[in-house]
Amino acid sequence: GNLTFSGSIGNTTPLGNLNAIGTTKLNSNVTTTGSQIYNDAVTIANNPTLTGKGITFNSTLDGNSNLTANSGTGNLTFSGSIGNTTPLVNLTTTGTTTLLGNVTTTGSQIYNDAVTIANNPTLTGNGITFNSTLDGNSNLTANSGTGNLTFSGSIGNTTPLGNLTTTGKTKLNGNVMTTGSQTYNDAVTIANNPTLTGNSISFNSTLDGNSNLTANSGTGNLTFSSAIGNTTPLVNLTTTGTTKLN
């Protein structure tokens, strides 16, 4: 049967560790001084906030609801898809986060701390923000819908991504390193003098920003399909690799 928590957990006196086995329904906040482990599918409602030291979802996570998750000094691990059956609304994470499956929200996704990816996830939402670093030997496809796709820290600095594909207005505020291609399908704005390194880099829309840009496309092409600096001129532009200016 189901494991249903209709009220808050640990609101008055936090639990130590919570280990849930069975299809689980979370309808309120959960507070633990130790870890939270959800071994099977979880459905959320009523915009819960989860607070603990290490939070792990070992299966899927769904629900027409906001989710705020703070894993403290531990890791926040999503082993299965998020929002695949029923998209979440807004997702906000605090704590070192691991994404091992697709993430779908009707609203925003905000990752406040370092994120590691695996298994080639696709992130779909309306506004996606990485407020720290992003790493992982994996492809990433990110679609921010009508919102912005913001990378505030470096991408692939510790572990380069495979291929990176973005859809939605994109802000690059740090270096980007991939072993494969980088494809930016919509307008890109840069800051903080980023260096982009990959094997093929494509800007399929405009590129702006009061910043230097260094781009190295390795054995692939470096393609600029639209205007560079038309709205906000770049400072210095340095390219390495066969370059196409369209």
Side-chain angles (χ1 to χ4, degrees):
N2 292 326
L3 175 59
T4 302
F5 298 96
S6 298
S8 62
I9 302 172
N11 187 58
T12 302
T13 304
L15 276 63
N17 299 312
L18 172 63
N19 188 14
I21 299 173
T23 302
T24 301
K25 296 184 178 182
L26 297 177
N27 297 333
S28 191
N29 299 337
V30 182
T31 305
T32 60
T33 58
S35 64
Q36 298 174 31
I37 301 174
Y38 303 95
N39 287 294
D40 294 287
V42 172
T43 301
I44 61 171
N46 303 323
N47 308 318
T49 295
L50 312 186
T51 306
K53 291 186 175 179
I55 301 174
T56 302
F57 294 90
N58 283 324
S59 185
T60 57
L61 171 63
D62 289 280
N64 182 23
S65 170
N66 299 330
L67 176 65
T68 302
N70 186 334
S71 63
T73 58
N75 292 324
L76 175 57
T77 303
F78 298 97
S79 299
S81 63
I82 303 173
N84 187 59
T85 301
T86 304
L88 273 64
V89 181
N90 299 308
L91 172 63
T92 304
T93 73
T94 301
T96 302
T97 301
T98 301
L99 299 176
L100 303 180
N102 298 337
V103 182
T104 304
T105 59
T106 58
S108 65
Q109 299 174 30
I110 301 174
Y111 304 96
N112 284 304
D113 292 289
V115 173
T116 301
I117 61 171
N119 302 325
N120 308 318
T122 295
L123 312 186
T124 306
N126 280 297
I128 301 174
T129 302
F130 294 90
N131 283 325
S132 185
T133 57
L134 171 64
D135 289 281
N137 182 22
S138 170
N139 300 332
L140 175 66
T141 302
N143 185 335
S144 63
T146 59
N148 291 325
L149 175 57
T150 303
F151 298 98
S152 299
S154 63
I155 303 173
N157 187 59
T158 300
T159 305
L161 274 62
N163 299 312
L164 172 63
T165 305
T166 72
T167 301
K169 292 181 180 179
T170 300
K171 297 183 178 182
L172 297 177
N173 297 333
N175 298 337
V176 182
M177 185 173 294
T178 59
T179 57
S181 65
Q182 298 174 31
T183 305
Y184 304 96
N185 284 304
D186 291 289
V188 173
T189 302
I190 61 171
N192 303 322
N193 308 317
T195 296
L196 312 186
T197 306
N199 281 297
S200 179
I201 302 174
S202 297
F203 293 92
N204 288 329
S205 184
T206 57
L207 172 63
D208 289 280
N210 182 24
S211 170
N212 299 331
L213 175 66
T214 303
N216 185 334
S217 62
T219 58
N221 292 326
L222 175 58
T223 304
F224 298 95
S225 297
S226 193
I228 303 171
N230 188 58
T231 302
T232 304
L234 275 63
V235 181
N236 298 306
L237 172 62
T238 304
T239 71
T240 301
T242 303
T243 302
K244 297 181 179 182
L245 297 174
N246 298 329

